[in-house]
C-alpha cells in the first residue's frame, strides 16, 4: 500500500503529512503539479505530475477517468451512466463526492464498478464463482490493452482484499468449527461490559463441555471427534440468538455469552434447553453417538467485572457440574473456588503418587458357585496419601482418566497384579485368575498387546492366569480395532471379560464376535434382583444368554444371602461382593487363600 506525502495548504515549507492510498477516494488536478487529494472527510494538497500519478498508484486501484480526475476505484459506490458521474459515496448523501467519467469509455467504468461490487463479500448473496464468470466475460469482450491492464489490476486488488478478509476471519474464528474463537469472544465480552454498565443489564458467561468426549476420541479416533464437534457447533450456532455469542474455547469446550438479561433465571432457562438440543444422536461413520454436556454459569456483575474473572468462575462451575455426574448446569458460587483449588492440588499430587509409591492394589475375591471356592480376584487400585490418608477411587480415577494419568497408573496395576499372582503361585497356593480393569485409553494404546506381553514375561505369570476387564461401552466403539486387539490377546492366551454388561449398548452381535470368556452383570441389576421383577427378568435372561453363548456369567455387588440364592437358582457361574469379602490388601487376601476360606451356600 502506497504512502502519499501531502500538505494542508500546498505552500512550500508547510508540514508534510503522510496518508495511506487506501484512504484516498480521488485526486483532482488544479494546475500543473498541483493536485487536491480527497479522503471521505478531508482534502490535502499534493505536488506531483498528474500524468505520472496513475502509474504510481495503479496497483492500489487508482484510474484516470478524464483529464482532471484520478479515482480510487475501491471507493466507487455507483455510476450514473446518463450524467457520466462516478459516485464515491451514496448518491443519496447530502454532499456526495463525485468524479467526471468523460475521458474513458463509459462502458469501461460500468465494467469496473460491476467487478468491484461483485467482489464485495459484505453484499448479501456474494458469490466468488459469479465474480470469476464476470471477469471472464468482460476480458473476452475487451481488446484494448490499457483496459485489460485495468481489469487485471482490479482483479489483483480484489484478490488481495479477499486474502486480507480471510486472514482477518482466521484470526477471529476457530479453524475446525468456524465459530468465533477465544480472541473474538474476549473482545466482544469487553465491549458488552461497557454497554451493560450504561443500561444496568446483566450478562451470563457459560462454559459448555461435553461429558466423556475423550472416550470418543480414544476409541473411534480424533477424526470422528472432530466431525462431532463440527455438528455440535452447527446446532449451538442455531440455538444461540443473534444478539448473543457462542465460541469454541478449545478441545470440546465452548463458551456462550448471553447479553441484555433482565433476570439471572434467563441463563437457567437457556441451559435447560441443552439436553433437548442433544437428545438426538449424532450419526458419524455408522456410529450413533449420544452426548451430554456439563455447563457452568457465571453472572455479570455479581461474579466478576473482568473477562478473565468471569471465564474462570464459569469454568469452576462447569467442573462442579462434572463432579456431580455431568449432564447438568451449575451457577458459580464463591465456595467453589475452594473445590477448584482442591482439584488442582489433587492433580499435582496424583502426578507424583506413582513415583512415590503411594498406590496399592487391593483384591476382591471372585467365587466359583459350583463349589464355593475362590476362583480368582479383581485388582482394584487404592491411593494411600501420606497426609490425606485413603483417597477415594471415585475422586481420583475420573481425574486420572481426564489427565491421561490413567495410562501409567493402569499399566502399573497390570504389572503389579501379575507379579502378585505369580508370587502366590510360587508359595504353593492354588492357581488363581487375576482380573485387571483396563481403561479405554489403555486399551487403545498402539502397543497395548506388547505391554500385556511384557507384563506376563517380566512377572512370569502364565497368560491363562490373567483376565482383562473392559467395559461394555468401550467394547462397542471402534469395533474393528477392538476385535483385532482381542484376537491378538486371545492368541496370547489371555482371558477377556466384559464389565458392566447391560448398562450400555448390549449388542448381541458384537458380543458373539468378541468371543469373550466372562460376562459381568452390573451390580445395579443385582442390588434389587429379589425385590424388582424387571431386574430379576434381566438377570435371568443375561445368565441364560451367557450359557447359550458358552460364556461364563459373573454377578458383581452381591451383598445378601437372598441375592446369592437367586443367582445360584438361575445357574450363575461366579459372584463377587461384600457377602463374601470386600476388596482387601494383598496380605489379607493371602491369609484368606491360605486358610482356604469357602462361601457357604444352601
Amino acid at each position: 500500500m502506497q504512502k502519499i506525502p501531502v500538505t494542508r495548504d500546498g505552500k512550500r515549507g508547510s508540514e508534510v503529512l503522510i496518508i495511506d492510498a487506501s484512504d484516498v477516494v480521488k485526486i483532482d488536478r488544479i494546475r500543473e503539479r498541483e493536485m487536491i487529494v480527497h479522503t471521505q472527510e478531508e482534502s490535502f494538497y499534493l505536488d506531483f505530475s498528474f500524468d505520472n500519478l496513475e502509474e504510481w498508484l495503479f496497483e492500489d486501484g487508482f484510474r484516470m477517468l478524464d483529464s482532471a480526475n484520478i479515482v480510487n476505484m475501491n471507493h466507487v459506490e455507483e455510476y450514473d451512466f446518463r450524467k457520466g458521474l462516478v459516485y464515491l459515496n451514496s448518491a443519496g448523501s447530502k454532499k456526495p463526492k463525485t468524479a467526471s467519467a468523460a475521458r474513458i469509455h463509459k462502458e469501461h467504468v460500468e465494467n469496473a464498478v460491476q467487478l468491484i461490487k461483485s467482489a464485495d463479500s459484505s453484499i448479501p448473496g456474494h458469490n466468488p464463482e459469479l465474480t470469476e464468470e464476470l471477469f471472464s466475460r468482460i476480458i473476452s469482450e475487451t481488446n484494448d490493452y490499457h483496459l485489460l491492464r485495468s481489469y487485471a489490476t482490479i482483479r489483483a486488488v480484489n484478490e488481495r482484499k479477499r486474502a486480507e478478509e480471510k486472514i482477518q476471519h482466521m484470526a477471529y474464528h476457530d479453524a475446525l468449527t468456524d465459530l468465533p474463537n477465544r480472541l473474538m469472544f474476549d473482545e466482544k465480552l469487553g465491549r458488552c461490559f461497557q454497554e451493560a454498565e450504561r443500561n444496568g443489564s446483566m450478562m451470563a458467561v457459560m462454559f459448555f463441555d461435553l461429558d466423556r468426549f475423550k472416550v470418543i476420541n480414544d476409541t473411534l479416533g480424533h477424526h470422528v471427534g472432530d466431525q462431532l464437534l463440527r455438528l455440535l457447533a452447527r446446532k449451538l450456532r442455531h440455538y444461540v440468538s443473534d444478539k448473543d455469542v457462542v465460541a469454541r474455547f478449545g478441545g470440546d469446550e465452548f463458551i456462550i455469552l448471553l447479553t441484555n438479561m433482565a433476570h439471572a433465571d434467563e441463563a437457567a432457562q437457556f441451559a435447560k434447553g441443552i439436553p433437548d438440543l442433544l437428545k438426538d444422536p449424532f450419526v458419524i461413520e455408522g456410529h450413533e453417538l449420544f452426548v451430554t454436556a456439563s455447563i457452568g454459569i457465571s453472572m455479570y456483575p455479581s461474579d466478576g467485572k473482568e473477562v478473565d474473572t468471569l471465564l474462570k468462575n464459569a469454568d469452576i462451575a462447569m467442573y462442579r457440574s462434572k463432579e456431580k455426574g455431568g449432564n447438568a448446569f451449575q451457577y458459580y458460587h464463591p465456595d467453589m473456588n475452594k473445590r477448584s483449588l482442591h482439584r488442582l492440588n489433587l492433580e499435582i499430587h496424583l502426578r507424583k503418587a506413582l513415583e512415590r509409591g503411594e498406590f496399592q492394589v487391593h483384591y476382591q475375591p471372585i467365587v466359583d458357585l459350583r463349589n464355593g471356592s475362590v476362583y480368582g480376584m479383581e485388582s482394584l487400585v487404592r491411593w494411600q496419601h501420606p497426609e490425606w490418608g485413603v483417597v477415594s477411587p471415585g475422586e481420583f480415577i475420573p481425574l486420572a482418566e481426564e489427565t491421561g494419568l490413567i495410562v501409567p497408573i493402569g499399566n502399573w496395576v497390570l504389572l503389579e497384579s501379575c507379579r502378585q499372582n505369580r508370587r502366590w503361585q510360587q508359595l504353593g497356593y492354588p492357581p488363581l485368575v487375576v482380573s485387571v480393569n483396563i481403561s479405554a485409553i489403555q486399551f487403545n494404546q498402539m502397543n497395548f498387546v506388547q505391554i500385556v506381553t511384557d507384563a506376563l514375561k517380566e512377572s512370569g505369570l502364565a497368560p491363562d492366569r490373567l483376565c482383562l476387564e473392559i467395559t461394555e461401552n468401550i467394547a462397542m466403539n471402534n469395533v474393528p480395532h477392538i476385535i483385532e486387539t482381542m484376537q491378538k490377546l486371545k492368541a496370547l492366551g489371555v482371558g477377556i471379560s466384559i464389565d458392566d454388561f447391560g448398562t450400555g449398548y448390549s449388542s448381541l452381535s458384537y458380543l458373539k464376535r468378541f468371543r469373550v470368556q466372562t460376562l459381568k452383570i452390573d451390580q445395579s441389576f443385582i442390588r434389587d434382583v429379589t425385590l424388582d421383577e424387571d431386574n430379576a427378568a434381566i438377570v435371568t435372561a443375561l445368565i441364560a444368554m451367557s450359557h447359550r453363548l458358552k460364556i461364563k456369567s459373573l454377578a458383581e455387588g452381591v451383598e445378601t444371602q437372598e441375592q446369592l440364592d437367586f443367582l445360584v437358582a438361575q445357574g450363575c457361574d461366579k459372584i463377587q461382593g461384600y457377602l463374601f469379602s470386600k476388596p482387601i490388601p494383598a496380605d489379607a487376601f493371602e491369609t484368606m487363600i491360605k486358610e482356604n476360606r469357602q462361601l457357604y451356600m444352601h
Side-chain angles (χ1 to χ4, degrees):
M1 183 63 65
Q2 292 289 352
K3 304 290 185 181
I4 303 176
V6 297
T7 61
R8 292 196 178 277
D9 55 16
K11 296 178 180 179
R12 189 177 298 276
S14 297
E15 180 186 3
V16 175
L17 307 173
I18 304 297
I19 61 176
D20 288 333
S22 60
D23 295 330
V24 176
V25 296
K26 71 168 183 171
I27 302 175
D28 292 335
R29 179 178 182 175
I30 305 301
R31 57 182 66 87
E32 188 62 29
R33 296 192 66 84
E34 187 176 348
M35 319 294 155
I36 296 183
V37 178
H38 299 272
T39 65
Q40 289 285 11
E41 306 296 335
E42 298 182 83
S43 297
F44 305 91
Y45 287 87
L46 171 66
D47 181 5
F48 201 83
S49 168
F50 188 76
D51 294 335
N52 295 331
L53 263 178
E54 184 182 29
E55 183 175 351
W56 175 33
L57 300 173
F58 195 87
E59 296 298 327
D60 291 321
F62 286 78
R63 297 294 177 270
M64 184 186 295
L65 297 188
D66 61 21
S67 58
N69 286 294
I70 289 181
V71 166
N72 185 344
M73 299 300 291
N74 296 311
H75 286 281
V76 172
E77 290 290 336
E78 52 189 298
Y79 173 58
D80 189 326
F81 185 84
R82 183 175 56 82
K83 295 180 180 179
L85 287 179
V86 171
Y87 286 91
L88 302 169
N89 49 21
S90 175
S93 301
K94 291 182 178 180
K95 294 183 179 179
K97 286 188 179 290
T98 62
S100 171
R103 188 175 155 193
I104 290 184
H105 196 281
K106 293 179 179 180
E107 186 178 345
H108 164 60
V109 179
E110 282 192 319
N111 286 341
V113 171
Q114 202 173 359
L115 288 173
I116 292 168
K117 282 196 169 184
S118 67
D120 187 352
S121 60
S122 65
I123 295 176
H126 169 69
N127 188 337
E129 292 182 3
L130 295 179
T131 303
E132 287 302 310
E133 290 178 9
L134 181 61
F135 266 115
S136 299
R137 180 183 63 77
I138 290 175
I139 289 172
S140 66
E141 295 172 354
T142 304
N143 297 318
D144 188 300
Y145 166 77
H146 295 289
L147 297 184
L148 286 172
R149 184 177 176 221
S150 178
Y151 298 143
T153 302
I154 293 173
R155 187 177 203 171
V157 170
N158 286 343
E159 288 178 352
R160 187 182 69 230
K161 276 187 172 182
R162 279 201 300 270
E164 290 171 351
E165 289 170 356
K166 186 175 182 179
I167 292 171
Q168 181 80 354
H169 185 85
M170 289 170 63
Y172 284 96
H173 289 79
D174 172 58
L176 178 66
T177 63
D178 202 41
L179 289 177
N181 60 14
R182 170 74 186 273
L183 178 61
M184 184 174 179
F185 186 89
D186 286 356
E187 291 187 4
K188 171 72 173 177
L189 183 54
R191 291 194 297 269
C192 287
F193 279 158
Q194 300 172 2
E195 183 179 346
E197 285 180 4
R198 286 195 304 269
N199 58 29
S201 63
M202 289 187 290
M203 295 187 297
V205 170
M206 293 186 172
F207 246 88
F208 176 106
D209 185 273
L210 288 179
D211 299 322
R212 293 169 289 280
F213 178 72
K214 191 172 181 61
V215 174
I216 294 174
N217 270 344
D218 291 337
T219 56
L220 300 181
H222 286 268
H223 67 290
V224 172
D226 287 348
Q227 290 182 60
L228 173 59
L229 292 176
R230 280 193 286 265
L231 293 173
L232 174 62
R234 196 178 304 164
K235 283 194 173 189
L236 288 174
R237 188 184 289 115
H238 286 103
Y239 183 61
V240 175
S241 68
D242 292 338
K243 70 181 179 68
D244 301 322
V245 181
V246 56
R248 186 182 178 209
F249 191 80
D252 61 322
E253 290 185 334
F254 297 84
I255 36 179
I256 299 167
L257 172 63
L258 304 182
T259 60
N260 295 319
M261 295 169 52
H263 303 285
D265 288 346
E266 293 178 34
Q269 292 303 315
F270 179 94
K272 286 177 182 177
I274 296 295
D276 191 55
L277 186 72
L278 302 178
K279 67 179 181 181
D280 295 326
F282 293 89
V283 181
I284 302 173
E285 296 185 1
H287 300 281
E288 285 192 349
L289 303 177
F290 290 89
V291 297
T292 58
S294 297
I295 299 172
I297 306 171
S298 64
M299 301 295 301
Y300 171 90
S302 58
D303 298 329
K305 296 184 179 181
E306 297 176 350
V307 172
D308 289 343
T309 303
L310 277 176
L311 288 174
K312 181 194 72 169
N313 291 340
D315 192 24
I316 291 171
M318 183 270 291
Y319 272 106
R320 181 63 178 140
S321 179
K322 277 194 176 297
E323 288 173 2
K324 289 192 169 184
N327 194 25
F329 68 89
Q330 287 283 320
Y331 279 97
Y332 169 77
H333 189 277
D335 288 346
M336 292 179 181
N337 269 323
K338 296 177 183 178
R339 293 189 62 85
S340 180
L341 288 172
H342 171 69
R343 184 184 179 280
L344 178 60
N345 202 26
L346 190 69
E347 180 180 340
I348 292 170
H349 284 258
L350 184 62
R351 291 186 181 278
K352 300 175 182 177
L354 192 58
E355 62 186 66
R356 291 176 175 175
E358 295 172 4
F359 289 117
Q360 301 173 357
V361 179
H362 285 201
Y363 300 91
Q364 184 170 40
I366 296 173
V367 179
D368 190 334
L369 292 185
R370 291 176 302 176
N371 51 28
S373 63
V374 175
Y375 164 85
M377 57 282 186
E378 180 181 359
S379 298
L380 298 161
V381 66
R382 296 292 184 262
W383 182 10
Q384 182 71 40
H385 192 276
E387 298 174 19
W388 305 335
V390 176
V391 181
S392 167
E395 188 171 12
F396 76 84
I397 292 293
L399 182 59
E401 290 179 339
E402 183 182 331
T403 58
L405 292 171
I406 196 67
V407 172
I409 294 172
N411 292 345
W412 175 82
V413 172
L414 173 64
L415 178 58
E416 179 61 25
S417 301
C418 291
R419 284 173 174 167
Q420 184 61 69
N421 198 16
R422 176 59 179 159
R423 287 192 204 106
W424 286 326
Q425 285 185 7
Q426 291 172 328
L427 290 172
Y429 298 117
L432 302 171
V433 174
V434 62
S435 294
V436 181
N437 291 286
I438 303 298
S439 71
I441 308 173
Q442 272 182 282
F443 199 90
N444 283 281
Q445 294 173 96
M446 295 298 294
N447 60 338
F448 178 67
V449 176
Q450 188 60 50
I451 289 171
V452 175
T453 303
D454 292 344
L456 292 170
K457 184 177 180 181
E458 185 175 337
S459 64
L461 185 68
D464 64 348
R465 298 291 98 190
L466 173 65
C467 179
L468 303 178
E469 292 190 10
I470 62 173
T471 63
E472 178 192 350
N473 289 345
I474 294 172
M476 301 309 164
N477 286 318
N478 199 6
V479 174
H481 169 72
I482 297 291
I483 291 177
E484 181 185 357
T485 303
M486 284 187 172
Q487 287 173 344
K488 291 178 180 178
L489 292 169
K490 186 176 181 182
L492 190 62
V494 172
I496 300 290
S497 172
I498 298 292
D499 198 6
D500 301 335
F501 193 81
T503 60
Y505 298 103
S506 304
S507 173
L508 302 185
S509 62
Y510 286 160
L511 191 61
K512 179 182 177 182
R513 293 169 68 186
F514 291 149
R515 297 191 178 279
V516 299
Q517 282 72 36
T518 306
L519 200 67
K520 293 189 73 173
I521 303 171
D522 188 70
Q523 61 183 333
S524 62
F525 298 115
I526 304 301
R527 186 178 301 115
D528 296 323
V529 72
T530 59
L531 304 173
D532 187 304
E533 291 184 359
D534 292 336
N535 276 6
I538 291 171
V539 172
T540 301
L542 289 176
I543 294 171
M545 179 191 68
S546 299
H547 290 167
R548 295 298 297 270
L549 293 173
K550 297 180 173 60
I551 297 173
K552 297 295 183 182
S553 56
L554 193 164
E556 55 183 348
V558 179
E559 298 181 351
T560 67
Q561 186 66 43
E562 290 77 17
Q563 292 169 350
L564 175 63
D565 293 342
F566 176 88
L567 293 167
V568 170
Q570 300 305 320
C572 186
D573 297 296
K574 306 183 189 76
I575 63 106
Q576 68 183 94
Y578 279 27
L579 177 65
F580 185 76
S581 173
K582 65 180 181 180
I584 53 179
D587 56 352
F589 189 91
E590 183 175 332
T591 299
M592 183 189 66
I593 56 176
K594 184 178 181 179
E595 296 173 351
N596 192 26
R597 182 180 165 190
Q598 302 278 316
L599 175 67
Y600 172 74
M601 295 184 293
H602 293 302

